[in-house]
Amino acid sequence: MAQPTSHRVASCCYKSFVRDLTRQLQPRRSMVTIQRGRPEKIKPPEDLPDTFWSQLPNRLRPDHGRREIIIHQAPPAEREQCKEPLKVVDAAELARLDPTGARSKLFDAENRDRAKPGDILLATFKGGEPFSGVIMSIKGSGPHKAVLLRNHLTSIGTEMSIKVHSPGVQSMEIVQRAPKRKRRAKLTYLRKPKHDVGSVQKIVDQYMRERALLTGKKVASTGFKRKKGRR
């Protein structure tokens, strides 16, 4: 038999007191709910002006605030018209930067006489002095192809990355082929003193003299000119 509530309060059992109190209030609440029932919904007047309908909540509107969703037809996909847009853009840039296609053929992978890592390349510019060096690597494709050259200027190792199809590049020539095919695509080991080729200026000067004898033109300067100061 359950103990009286007063005895439980005296024994400091607060949880039991709350549980008994809840049991006493529960029937009273249920009786009130049964007698009252659900509240009736208040219908808005029919002659309400249109300006006030937007101020009412959605549950009081006749259509519950629902609006018809308009589904538009999807536009034609650009992918169906141009499946490979990057190739189209690259082809347009190559036609503008290299109309003859000679420079693209110089670095084409299908060309047997293409420039390879280890060859000595001479690049002349529209503004500035030419630069020559050993090809260390060739990276990129299309109009983004670039070549990395290494040479010694004033006994200091210098490297220059040149964009093959840059508008500032006037011409590119292979001065000397590598005696053997390199087994690597990137000759980064040339930076070590053990494998460093050094300056290739003498080889380039000899090539320019031989070409001048065949063409009958004056030998152009292909090296770095150091300005001499007054003593």
Side-chain angles (χ1 to χ4, degrees):
M1 185 174 180
Q3 297 179 0
T5 307
S6 60
H7 182 71
R8 291 184 180 181
V9 174
S11 61
C12 299
C13 187
Y14 182 74
K15 292 184 179 180
S16 300
F17 174 74
V18 173
R19 184 168 59 251
D20 291 346
L21 185 61
T22 306
R23 290 176 181 176
Q24 295 176 8
L25 296 177
Q26 187 174 3
R28 190 180 303 173
R29 290 180 180 176
S30 61
M31 290 296 294
V32 171
T33 307
I34 293 172
Q35 291 178 2
R36 290 183 180 179
R38 292 185 177 181
E40 296 181 0
K41 294 183 179 180
I42 301 175
K43 296 182 179 181
E46 298 179 357
D47 56 346
L48 190 68
D50 297 338
T51 55
F52 293 98
W53 282 108
S54 60
Q55 302 179 14
L56 294 176
N58 294 335
R59 58 186 179 82
L60 296 179
R61 298 182 187 181
D63 56 351
H64 299 286
R66 297 174 183 174
R67 293 181 298 176
E68 185 180 358
I69 300 175
I70 302 174
I71 301 176
H72 300 277
Q73 188 177 2
E78 296 291 340
R79 187 175 181 83
E80 297 179 358
Q81 301 178 4
C82 183
K83 295 184 178 180
E84 296 181 352
L86 293 179
K87 289 186 177 181
V88 175
V89 174
D90 290 348
E93 287 294 315
L94 286 176
R96 182 179 64 87
L97 298 173
D98 189 17
T100 59
R103 202 169 299 177
S104 300
K105 188 177 180 180
L106 183 62
F107 295 92
D108 190 4
E110 298 179 358
N111 184 16
R112 291 185 176 182
D113 298 332
R114 66 181 182 275
K116 302 176 184 178
D119 298 346
I120 298 176
L121 190 72
L122 172 63
T124 56
F125 306 95
K126 294 181 180 179
E129 298 180 356
F131 187 85
S132 58
V134 181
I135 300 176
M136 293 185 62
S137 64
I138 301 171
K139 59 182 180 180
S141 61
H144 312 289
K145 185 167 290 186
V147 59
L148 182 63
L149 304 180
R150 178 178 176 83
N151 195 1
H152 275 234
L153 300 179
T154 63
S155 303
I156 298 175
T158 307
E159 296 180 6
M160 179 181 290
S161 179
I162 304 173
K163 290 285 186 180
V164 175
H165 299 283
S166 174
V169 178
Q170 187 174 1
S171 64
M172 285 187 173
E173 304 176 52
I174 299 176
V175 176
Q176 188 181 46
R177 299 280 184 179
K180 294 182 180 180
R181 186 182 68 86
K182 304 299 180 181
R183 301 178 64 182
R184 297 184 183 181
K186 296 182 180 180
L187 309 182
T188 53
Y189 60 85
L190 294 178
R191 296 169 181 167
K192 298 181 180 180
K194 181 180 178 181
H195 304 284
D196 196 356
V197 180
S199 178
V200 297
Q201 190 60 40
K202 293 182 179 180
I203 301 174
V204 175
D205 292 342
Q206 180 66 23
Y207 167 78
M208 295 299 294
R209 284 193 293 267
E210 292 177 358
R211 193 182 69 171
L213 291 174
L214 295 175
T215 58
K217 295 182 180 180
K218 187 178 179 180
V219 180
S221 177
T222 59
F224 175 76
K225 293 183 179 180
R226 186 174 182 179
K227 296 182 180 180
K228 297 181 180 180
R230 295 181 180 178
R231 295 183 179 179

